[in-house]
């Protein structure tokens, strides 16, 4: 699993020369991470952050505005909510937490904490 990027669209763009992801290299621009972190790539192209964010957000908004996409999102959210409500608690985890609580209560009662 990839780490969560620190900036909105880091990792969404791919370098055409080496295949590395573009990351935010300063406050204003995205660039090839491979070039920036060790110069392993010769791609020196920087893309303005404002351009990247405007274009990608416009595409996302356009996609989300489609009725079939909105309906699918609603279906998935409802399904997740139903699953969350019907999920049974993990018995082993509940038992472990109960034991831990009992131990803490005993320690507090005996003056150990």
């Amino acid at each position: 699993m990839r780490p969560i990027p620190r900036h909105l669209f880091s990792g969404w763009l791919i370098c055409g020369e080496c295949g590395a992801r573009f990351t935010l290299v300063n406050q204003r621009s995205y660039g090839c991470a491979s070039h920036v972190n060790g110069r392993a790539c010769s791609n020196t192209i920087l893309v303005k952050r404002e351009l990247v964010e405007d274009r990608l957000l416009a595409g996302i908004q356009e996609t989300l505005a489609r009725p079939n996409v909105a309906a699918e999102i609603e279906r998935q959210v409802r399904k997740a909510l139903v699953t969350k409500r019907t999920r049974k608690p993990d018995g082993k985890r509940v038992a472990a937490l109960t034991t831990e609580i009992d131990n803490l209560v005993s320690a507090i009662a005996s003056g150990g904490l």
Side-chain angles (χ1 to χ4, degrees):
M1 191 163 126
R2 280 188 17 212
I4 297 172
R6 292 195 293 194
H7 303 286
L8 183 60
F9 291 117
S10 286
W12 284 42
L13 303 174
I14 304 295
C15 177
E17 289 189 31
C18 72
R21 298 181 184 281
F22 268 50
T23 60
L24 200 60
V25 297
N26 58 42
Q27 289 187 346
R28 298 181 311 271
S29 303
Y30 286 89
C32 174
S34 185
H35 175 76
V36 174
N37 301 322
R39 310 271 186 236
C41 177
S42 61
N43 186 352
T44 60
I45 294 173
L46 297 178
V47 183
K48 290 191 182 293
R49 180 181 187 171
E50 185 177 333
L51 175 68
V52 170
E53 292 175 0
D54 287 349
R55 295 249 176 117
L56 289 176
L57 286 172
I60 291 168
Q61 285 176 324
E62 181 182 316
T63 300
L64 291 175
R66 295 181 190 151
N68 61 326
V69 172
E72 178 61 17
I73 291 170
E74 181 179 357
R75 188 184 74 73
Q76 292 289 335
V77 168
R78 289 182 187 281
K79 179 180 173 185
L81 289 173
V82 166
T83 300
K84 185 176 181 178
R85 276 191 233 122
T86 60
R87 189 180 312 151
K88 293 184 175 32
D90 178 2
K92 288 181 182 179
R93 179 76 176 136
V94 170
L97 289 172
T98 301
T99 301
E100 190 174 336
I101 291 168
D102 291 343
N103 291 341
L104 288 170
V105 169
S106 296
I108 291 170
S110 67
L113 286 180

